[in-house]
């Protein structure tokens, strides 16, 4: 009985460790994505603060129009 419980516990620990690693990987990927979104928001904030005229000219230059 004790051996059976130890085996089940070892399997449970292995499964939980695998799940935890998957969750940690998702957090890492989400963190990278949030950094990109953060930089995009900084850019939008700067364009809004500079005004619509400056923002329009920047977008035109960016798109090559």
């Amino acid at each position: 009985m004790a051996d059976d419980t130890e085996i089940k516990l070892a399997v449970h620990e292995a499964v939980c460790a695998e799940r935890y690693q998957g969750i940690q990987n998702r957090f890492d990927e989400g963190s990278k994505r949030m950094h990109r979104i953060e930089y995009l928001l900084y850019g939008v904030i700067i364009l809004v603060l500079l005004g619509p005229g400056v923002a329009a000219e920047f977008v035109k230059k960016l798109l090559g129009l």
Side-chain angles (χ1 to χ4, degrees), residues 5-20:
T5 304
E6 288 178 19
I7 291 171
K8 287 182 180 180
L9 184 60
V11 169
H12 176 74
E13 288 175 348
V15 169
C16 286
E18 203 171 306
R19 286 181 185 161
Y20 177 75

Side-chain angles (χ1 to χ4, degrees), residues 27-46:
F27 280 143
D28 292 340
E29 290 172 8
S31 178
K32 291 177 187 174
R33 185 174 182 211
M34 289 304 291
H35 283 293
R36 285 193 302 253
I37 292 171
E38 183 179 356
Y39 292 135
L40 286 172
L41 285 174
Y42 288 148
V44 169
I45 289 169
I46 289 170

Side-chain angles (χ1 to χ4, degrees), residues 42-56:
Y42 288 148
V44 169
I45 289 169
I46 289 170
L47 292 175
V48 167
L49 290 175
L50 293 176
V54 175

